[in-house]
């Protein structure tokens, strides 16, 4: 098939060419897919996209008019794709689910530990030759309660690691995961989880039902001083509400690998340039905030599995008209 891959980074080129084994005519571009670059898809049957690409209605409509038949997301999340319009236009959409739940879960645990024990702050202080510890006090995870919102693949992998800490694990998910029940995770209502957790980790997809799930009201239900970790999607939290929660002390610390308005900013190098993104700048200026640039997935295993999943999708679509991980 003739395929073009957008937003390609240096760490992807060798892997994609190697696993392709010349089966598909694969064109690789560093360009991010937007309404301004969509013309690059002309002449291809399929496109491979990343979470940074724009697959909103106007872009999908353009893709449809160019004869694109398949969109493969090289990500598990697909909230950035207007799947309804794609479906209407007969464009099939596929993703890469389950490529490495451990990659994200391990990173979420890392963020939680770094946030709680103020490891990044300690490192920053020590590089200034400040060897005091007065503002580095944390609590012990082993005697605390950790709430998990969303216990699918990543939430369950997070629960498995956290079980080793010996803490109480609460979970909220409309569907109980038997793996989590076996681990001793206690399912409860969202209200109970919010009221009882010393730390909360988010692992839901971004859906209508999870958009701004963490907002003024849900924050007010949390334990004062709660630690909040978001490796899911930026818009699962209302960023303004979280900033207010940090400022009034209701939230003791906030760590996030994702940001509500990250598209077009994350994965790019803006060193020494103004961002014109006051909300992000505000977060970056706050001492109790730890941010990373959507890197939780970024392990060698995950990259290899994502690439394999992408080609499984392309191969199956070419053979049968349906990709392996077709989205509804
Ligand atoms: P999954 O589909 O296996 O699990 C999602 C779980 O969320 C399901 O159990 C579902 O029932 C639950 N859920 C849905 N609506 C909910 C609600 N309103 N309240 C509570 N739970 C709800 O997905 P997986 O693989 O665990 O991934 C979760 C999300 O993590 C992805 O959709 C993606 O947005 C994000 N992600 C982030 C990455 C990163 O690098 N930061 C990398 C990969 C995924």
């Amino acid at each position: 098939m003739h395929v073009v891959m957008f937003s390609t980074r240096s760490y992807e080129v060798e892997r994609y060419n190697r696993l392709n084994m010349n089966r598909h005519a694969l064109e690789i571009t560093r360009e991010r897919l937007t309404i301004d670059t969509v013309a690059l898809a002309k002449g291809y049957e399929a496109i491979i996209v990343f979470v940074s690409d724009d697959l909103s209605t106007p872009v999908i409509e353009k893709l449809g008019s160019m004869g694109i038949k398949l969109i493969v997301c090289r990500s598990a999340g697909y909230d950035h794709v207007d799947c309804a319009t794609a479906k209407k236009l007969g464009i099939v959409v596929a993703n890469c689910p389950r490529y490495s739940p451990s990659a994200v879960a391990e990173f979420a645990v890392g963020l939680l530990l770094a946030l709680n024990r103020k490891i990044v702050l300690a490192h920053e202080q020590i590089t200034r030759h400040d060897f005091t510890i007065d503002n580095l006090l944390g609590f012990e995870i082993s005697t605390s309660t950790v709430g998990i919102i969303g216990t699918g693949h990543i939430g369950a992998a997070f629960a498995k690691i956290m079980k080793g800490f010996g803490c109480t694990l609460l979970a909220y998910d409309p569907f109980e995961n038997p793996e989590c029940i076996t681990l001793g995770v206690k399912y409860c209502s969202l209200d109970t989880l919010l009221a009882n957790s010393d730390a909360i980790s988010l692992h839901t997809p971004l859906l209508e039902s999870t958009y701004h799930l963490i907002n003024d009201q849900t924050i007010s239900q949390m334990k004062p001083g709660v630690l909040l970790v978001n490796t899911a999607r930026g818009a699962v939290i209302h960023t303004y509400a979280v900033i207010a929660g940090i400022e009034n002390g209701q939230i003791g610390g906030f760590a996030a690998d994702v940001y509500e308005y990250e598209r077009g900013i994350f994965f790019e190098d803006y060193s020494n340039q103004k961002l014109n993104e006051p909300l992000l700048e505000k977060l970056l200026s706050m001492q109790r905030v730890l941010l990373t640039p959507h890197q939780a997935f970024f392990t060698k295993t995950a990259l290899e599995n994502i690439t394999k999943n992408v080609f499984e999708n392309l191969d199956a679509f070419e053979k049968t008209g349906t990709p392996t991980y077709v989205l509804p």
Side-chain angles (χ1 to χ4, degrees), residues 99 104 152-154 172-175 204-205 210 231 233 257 294 297:
Y99 59 77
V104 185
H153 295 96
I154 297 171
Y172 170 68
D173 191 309
F175 300 96
T204 64
T210 60
T231 55
R233 282 292 180 267
D257 183 50
H294 206 140
F297 76 99

Side-chain angles (χ1 to χ4, degrees), residues 30 61 73 90 95 119 130 133 147 160 165 174 179 185 206 216 249 251 253 265-267 287 310 312 324 326:
R30 206 185 183 285
E61 282 171 350
C73 301
N95 73 338
I119 294 171
D130 175 357
I133 62 168
K160 209 159 135 190
F165 283 84
E179 199 186 331
V185 173
L206 177 59
D216 281 327
I251 295 175
I265 302 175
F266 280 24
F267 309 109
Q287 213 175 59
V310 164
E312 280 166 1
T324 309
V326 65

Side-chain angles (χ1 to χ4, degrees), residues 7 9 32-33 50-54 80 263-264 266-267:
S7 296
R9 292 294 174 261
R32 193 166 78 85
L33 176 62
F50 190 45
V51 290
S52 49
D53 289 312
D54 177 359
H80 56 306
R263 197 151 299 133
F266 280 24
F267 309 109

